[in-house]
Amino acid sequence: MTRADALFRSSSPHALGRKGRETRQRLVDAAALLLTSTSPIDLTAMAIAAEAGTASATFYVYFRDVQDILYALSEAATEDMLAAFSKLDIFRSNARVAEDSEAFLKMLAEQWERHNAVLYYRMMEADRGDPRFTKLRGRWAEAVLSRFWELLKRAPHLEPPLDETDAYAESIVLFASIERLAAAVHREPRLTISAQRIRAAQARILTRMIAPQG
DNA sequence: ACAGAGTAGTGCTTTCCACA
DNA sequence: TGTGGAAAGCACTACTCTGT
């Protein structure tokens, strides 16, 4: 198995046979399990392979390196988030922003609970400028930003309305603060306010910014 | 006492290749 | 086609030595 083959396989699991798909999935599951107790930075191919009950050589048949398997996990987490967001079908109307914000922030908290280490790693690698992780984060951001943007362009309390660019800029500000806080709430043990109270505050601020009631 | 260079040991990554 | 043993290569760490 050449390095090029491994590269192809890591990004195209469907090209594998049944046994290969099973082994690849075992490695992904093993990595996900190890991430519940190990930092992504300390994760090793040897540990993943051992947890999956296979040799480290086999690991490199399916993944280029540890970052590659972390990317696969990040990709799956992003798909999960996009599906959850799409299922909610929120931020379509300025009249429902308060309810939608609560639903959105609850969903976001659940996603961070489920994919904590992977999402944090995705954020870190995207911040570092890795194009694959940047693109992944961008897909998620774009899905949410586009909804905020549409609502801000026709925010009922803004007269004159924001132009397209300013509406998009404000969408970015809102999204970035929500995303960063979602990460921080899960990793900052010194916070004296409960995650629920912070979420409620975020929902109020979103509502105030996009479509204040009354 | 301290800083920097050199070295050995250790663990991990990566590849090759034989085998099922 | 898929797996894993073996080994080379690499990176990191701890330790020792040397000069200031």
Side-chain angles (χ1 to χ4, degrees), chain A residues 37-199:
Chain A
S37 58
T38 308
S39 158
I41 304 299
D42 296 328
L43 202 60
T44 65
M46 282 188 79
I48 296 167
E51 183 65 39
T54 186
S56 65
T58 303
F59 176 90
Y60 289 98
V61 173
Y62 300 97
F63 300 97
R64 224 177 348 201
D65 48 32
V66 173
Q67 195 194 43
D68 199 32
I69 197 168
L70 286 167
Y71 177 79
L73 284 164
S74 300
E75 202 173 27
T78 302
E79 292 301 337
D80 195 22
M81 287 178 92
L82 286 168
F85 183 62
S86 169
K87 194 175 168 190
L88 283 179
D89 196 31
I90 50 176
F91 298 129
R92 298 284 191 193
S93 154
N94 291 69
R96 288 186 43 86
V97 169
E99 302 97 293
D100 286 356
S101 294
E102 283 177 24
F104 173 63
L105 292 160
K106 181 168 177 286
M107 180 275 284
L108 200 58
E110 285 165 2
Q111 290 293 324
W112 270 87
E113 192 69 46
R114 194 179 311 163
H115 305 295
N116 189 358
V118 168
L119 291 177
Y120 200 77
Y121 185 77
R122 185 190 71 181
M123 181 182 281
M124 188 180 78
E125 287 301 320
D127 283 349
R128 271 160 41 95
D130 184 294
R132 286 204 302 172
F133 286 88
T134 303
K135 196 173 169 187
L136 215 48
R137 183 173 66 178
R139 278 186 63 205
W140 161 243
E142 196 49 47
V144 180
L145 282 176
S146 61
R147 299 283 177 87
F148 284 176
W149 188 34
E150 288 303 324
L151 295 183
L152 279 167
K153 278 192 286 186
R154 52 173 198 266
H157 64 304
L158 297 175
E159 193 55 51
L162 293 170
D163 68 27
E164 299 239 326
T165 307
D166 282 339
Y168 196 69
E170 290 200 10
S171 303
I172 291 171
V173 171
L174 285 175
F175 176 78
S177 72
I178 289 168
E179 186 78 348
R180 291 286 156 171
L181 205 48
V185 161
H186 282 274
R187 293 195 172 248
E188 182 48 77
R190 287 169 301 176
L191 282 177
T192 52
I193 306 173
S194 71
Q196 285 80 4
R197 290 292 284 273
I198 288 178
R199 235 168 48 213

Side-chain angles (χ1 to χ4, degrees), chain A residues 15-32:
Chain A
L16 299 168
R18 180 191 57 80
K19 201 175 174 187
R21 282 199 304 274
E22 284 172 5
T23 304
R24 187 184 187 279
Q25 191 56 48
R26 276 212 318 280
L27 289 163
V28 170
D29 292 344

Side-chain angles (χ1 to χ4, degrees), chain A residues 5-21:
Chain A
D5 289 336
L7 273 172
F8 173 72
R9 286 181 173 204
S10 68
S11 57
S12 307
H14 298 295
L16 299 168
R18 180 191 57 80
K19 201 175 174 187
R21 282 199 304 274

